[in-house]
Amino acid sequence: MATAPPSLPPRRVSCGSLLQELQELWGEIGQDEMERDRMILQLEEDCLNVYRKKVDQTMKQKADLLQALSFGEVDIDKILSALGERESFPRSEKLGGTLMEQLAKIEPVLKDLRQRRDERVNEFRAVQLQIAHLQAEISGIIDHGDLTAPVVDENDLSLKRLRELKAQLNDLQTEKNLRLQKIDIQINCIHEMCNIMSLDLKKALYDVHPSYAELGKSKPVSISNSTLERLEGKVHALNHEKKQRLRKLQELGSTLIELWNLMETPVDEQRSFDHVTSLIKVSPNTVMPQGCLAHDLIEKVEIEVKRLTHLKASKMKELVFKKMTELEEIYRSVHMDMDSNSERRILNDLIDSGRADLSELLTCMDDRIAEAKEHALSRNDILEKVEKWSSASEEETWLDEYEMDQNRYNAGRGAHINLKRAEKARVRLLDSLEEYTSTRQQKEEEKRRLRVGFYFTCLLFHEFLIILKELKKRQEQIGTKPSPIRPHPARKPLGQSSNVNIVVGTPTSRRVSTPMSRKGGLSSGKVKEGTKTTVAPANYVAIPKDCSDNSSL
């Protein structure tokens, strides 16, 4: 297969050669000269138009290059200003070279600055988006819809402004962390109180905000101001409910103990409510076991209190009258009178009417019993003496009858027993008489000491008045002013002075009235009652009845 010869490059044709070829063609054709000139002029005009158009296109290209240079310089200045950088770029007139060369020098610089600007804008947008998100979380706007993307101000992209935004973002993040910590603490409190009161924790948290009911599921929780207020209100409400339940349970526990003590409830029956009575002294801030303040538990305690209260009402009347019987026994034991029938009738009417507080009534009865016991204790000495005296009187009566028995010395069955009883009766009578006589003498001695002390006081006052009277007479005789009273010389002891040694006969002792005084006397060892004269002590002094007349001395 033959190969084609290599193509030769086209021969360049000039305008002159073409015009010459055109003239030859016109000559061969026989074209008119005028027509030839017109056609040549037309060709020249078309060439000028082509050149002119090309010049215009070139002029426009130059203007575009100048505009691009100008816009590039403006963009460079604007971006540098927005970035806050003080870098300077030489103007086009200082760059040198053609317009294309100048534009080629500006374009890489402008591209680099635009890239830096875009990166800075993206950084600003990310920070501002986080700030807007945190602000929306705190204000609660995020709970009502999607967050709108923030607009970045490209006129201020300086690092200073970026640091300010990052500082604001850091503050908001700190605020969020503090709120989350506060939420965590309050949720723990709610969890603890719900455990103590046996409440539904999930429902309690859902009432605050639905996001709280899904904790631990990597979902964001609300930290808005309104949510925190509701959370704080929930904690306050649960704490108030906890205190009310604790107070109510403590009152019920105290009532239980009071009823147990009143009803004498067995210890084994009380142990079923140890978890209640153990909370009586507990502070609301103390850690308490789970479910100790449950509503069901409180209702159970209320039912028990109502049962015991009903039982108390049925047995209180019995307890009151039991106390009344005890009071009557105390009064009877000390020989004190009381209108038992009337008091029992009043108590019965008062209890049946329902107007009386049975606890106060029992307390009143206990006070009366304590008062009666105290009064009875103070009467023991008197009762013992009365008992002895009554026993002595019975023995005296029996002894009188025994003395009147003509056959008391006959030897018979039981005679020796009667003799022993008679001997013991005489001894007891003598002991009783001696005890009475001793007590009487003690009282007389006490009265005598009181009279002697009073007499000494009157005597000293009488002597003092005599001394004053003598001093006054001496002052009148010598006409001088009274001088201070000097100590009086020691006088003889009382009882040794002849002026006061006034001894009178001792008074006749009073007759002692005993059960035996009603009889004529006792034979075979009976004590005969008679008038006895007691010898007064050597220092006994007669006491004047009244010393008030000494003032006239």
Side-chain angles (χ1 to χ4, degrees):
M1 184 175 178
T3 58
S7 59
L8 298 174
R11 183 172 57 89
R12 184 172 181 181
V13 181
S14 63
C15 291
S17 63
L18 289 175
L19 180 60
Q20 184 178 357
E21 185 179 357
L22 184 61
Q23 288 288 350
E24 291 176 356
L25 290 174
W26 281 342
E28 293 176 357
I29 294 172
Q31 186 74 31
D32 187 16
E33 290 292 336
M34 293 182 63
E35 185 64 26
R36 291 179 181 181
D37 294 338
R38 186 185 66 77
M39 293 179 68
I40 292 173
L41 290 175
Q42 183 65 39
L43 289 173
E44 292 178 356
E45 185 66 26
D46 290 340
C47 288
L48 289 175
N49 289 334
V50 171
Y51 277 109
R52 189 178 290 110
K53 185 178 180 180
K54 193 63 178 179
V55 169
D56 291 339
Q57 290 178 353
T58 305
M59 290 293 293
K60 185 177 183 301
Q61 183 182 6
K62 178 182 178 182
D64 291 340
L65 289 174
L66 290 174
Q67 187 178 9
L69 284 173
S70 177
F71 285 166
E73 292 175 353
V74 172
D75 283 347
I76 290 174
D77 293 339
K78 185 178 180 180
I79 294 174
L80 289 175
S81 177
L83 294 176
E85 298 179 2
R86 298 181 179 180
E87 296 181 7
S88 60
F89 188 79
R91 295 295 179 180
S92 58
E93 60 270 12
K94 296 181 180 181
L95 291 175
T98 63
L99 295 177
M100 296 294 289
E101 292 174 349
Q102 294 178 12
L103 188 60
K105 294 178 180 179
I106 289 177
E107 283 181 351
V109 176
L110 187 59
K111 182 180 179 181
D112 180 65
L113 290 175
R114 285 174 179 172
Q115 185 179 358
R116 290 169 58 188
R117 179 191 64 186
D118 294 340
E119 292 175 356
R120 188 72 59 83
V121 168
N122 292 333
E123 192 173 2
F124 266 79
R125 184 177 289 109
V127 174
Q128 290 182 210
L129 184 61
Q130 295 182 53
I131 291 174
H133 190 273
L134 291 175
Q135 289 175 340
E137 283 185 327
I138 294 174
S139 62
I141 299 176
I142 198 172
D143 296 334
H144 305 291
D146 296 334
L147 182 64
T148 303
V151 178
V152 180
D153 183 10
E154 296 186 4
N155 294 322
D156 188 1
L157 300 175
S158 63
L159 293 176
K160 178 181 179 182
R161 174 62 180 162
L162 184 61
R163 286 193 294 269
E164 292 176 355
L165 292 175
K166 288 184 177 179
Q168 182 181 358
L169 176 61
N170 187 41
D171 292 341
L172 291 174
Q173 288 176 340
T174 303
E175 175 67 18
K176 179 179 179 179
N177 293 334
L178 291 176
R179 290 182 177 227
L180 289 175
Q181 291 177 4
K182 184 176 181 181
I183 289 172
D184 186 60
I185 293 173
Q186 291 180 332
I187 288 179
N188 289 336
C189 291
I190 293 176
H191 185 270
E192 180 183 354
M193 288 186 286
C194 286
N195 285 340
I196 292 174
M197 295 185 285
S198 297
L199 299 177
D200 188 354
L201 173 63
K202 189 172 182 180
K203 182 179 181 304
L205 294 177
Y206 188 87
D207 292 341
V208 178
H209 195 273
S211 63
Y212 291 168
E214 300 178 356
L215 294 175
K217 296 183 179 181
S218 67
K219 291 186 177 180
V221 296
S222 177
I223 60 171
S224 64
N225 295 328
S226 59
T227 304
L228 289 179
E229 289 178 359
R230 290 195 300 272
L231 182 62
E232 186 176 356
K234 191 67 175 179
V235 172
H236 179 74
L238 289 176
N239 193 32
H240 181 68
E241 177 69 16
K242 171 188 172 184
K243 290 181 179 179
Q244 283 187 334
R245 290 192 182 191
L246 179 60
R247 187 182 303 110
K248 185 175 183 179
L249 195 63
Q250 287 176 339
E251 292 175 356
L252 292 172
S254 300
T255 305
L256 274 179
I257 293 177
E258 180 181 352
L259 291 172
W260 288 340
N261 295 334
L262 188 63
M263 307 295 293
E264 297 180 352
T265 305
V267 178
D268 294 338
E269 186 177 345
Q270 298 179 16
R271 288 174 181 170
S272 59
F273 291 93
D274 286 344
H275 59 288
V276 177
T277 56
S278 63
L279 299 176
I280 292 179
K281 301 297 184 180
V282 171
S283 171
N285 298 325
T286 305
V287 178
M288 288 176 278
Q290 183 176 356
C292 65
L293 298 181
H295 184 69
D296 296 340
L297 175 62
I298 296 177
E299 285 185 346
K300 181 180 178 181
V301 179
E302 286 179 337
I303 293 173
E304 179 65 14
V305 169
K306 289 180 181 179
R307 185 185 72 83
L308 292 177
T309 302
H310 181 72
L311 184 62
K312 166 190 172 183
S314 62
K315 290 188 177 181
M316 190 63 71
K317 189 173 183 178
E318 179 184 350
L319 292 174
V320 170
F321 283 103
K322 184 178 180 182
K323 298 286 185 181
M324 187 65 190
T325 302
E326 183 179 356
L327 183 64
E328 291 172 350
E329 290 295 331
I330 295 173
Y331 272 76
R332 190 180 298 112
S333 65
V334 294
H335 303 284
M336 295 173 63
D337 295 332
M338 69 176 298
D339 192 353
S340 301
N341 295 330
S342 177
E343 289 201 20
R344 284 179 175 271
R345 185 172 59 255
I346 293 173
L347 285 174
N348 188 47
D349 295 340
L350 190 61
I351 295 174
D352 292 341
S353 66
R355 299 190 306 268
D357 187 345
L358 299 180
S359 298
E360 293 183 359
L361 190 59
L362 281 176
T363 303
C364 181
M365 294 297 295
D366 290 336
D367 294 340
R368 290 188 63 186
I369 290 173
E371 183 180 356
K373 288 181 177 179
E374 183 179 355
H375 188 60
L377 186 62
S378 64
R379 293 169 60 93
N380 282 341
D381 294 340
I382 299 175
L383 291 175
E384 289 178 0
K385 293 180 180 179
V386 170
E387 185 68 24
K388 289 182 180 180
W389 195 260
S390 176
S391 177
S393 178
E394 292 177 0
E395 291 294 331
E396 183 183 9
T397 302
W398 180 87
L399 193 58
D400 288 343
E401 293 175 357
Y402 176 77
E403 291 291 337
M404 294 173 62
D405 186 6
Q406 299 297 328
N407 298 322
R408 61 182 180 275
Y409 295 116
N410 293 336
R413 180 176 296 178
H416 65 287
I417 297 176
N418 291 332
L419 289 174
K420 288 183 178 180
R421 180 179 178 183
E423 184 64 24
K424 291 180 180 179
R426 292 187 185 98
V427 172
R428 281 196 293 269
L429 287 176
L430 289 174
D431 292 341
S432 176
L433 180 60
E434 289 176 357
E435 181 181 358
Y436 178 81
T437 304
S438 175
T439 303
R440 188 70 181 179
Q441 288 178 352
Q442 291 177 0
K443 291 183 179 180
E444 291 294 336
E445 182 67 20
E446 182 67 23
K447 290 180 180 179
R448 188 190 68 80
R449 285 198 298 269
L450 293 175
R451 287 196 300 269
V452 170
F454 180 70
Y455 172 74
F456 287 162
T457 303
C458 293
L459 182 60
L460 291 175
F461 182 70
H462 174 67
E463 292 181 355
F464 180 71
L465 291 177
I466 293 175
I467 293 172
L468 288 178
K469 187 174 182 181
E470 292 177 356
L471 290 175
K472 185 176 181 181
K473 288 180 179 180
R474 293 180 181 178
Q475 291 172 357
E476 290 177 354
Q477 292 175 359
I478 62 178
T480 60
K481 295 183 180 180
S483 59
I485 301 175
R486 297 179 180 176
H488 193 70
R491 301 176 62 86
K492 293 182 180 181
L494 293 175
Q496 297 181 5
S497 174
S498 58
N499 295 330
V500 297
N501 192 14
I502 305 173
V503 181
V504 296
T506 58
T508 303
S509 62
R510 298 177 183 178
R511 294 184 62 187
V512 179
S513 176
T514 67
M516 294 178 297
S517 61
R518 296 179 285 104
K519 308 296 179 181
L522 296 175
S523 61
S524 299
K526 283 187 178 181
V527 179
K528 295 183 179 181
E529 181 176 311
T531 303
K532 296 181 181 180
T533 302
T534 304
V535 180
N539 61 348
Y540 185 81
V541 181
I543 301 175
K545 294 182 179 180
D546 191 3
C547 63
S548 59
D549 55 348
N550 292 334
S551 59
S552 60
L553 297 177

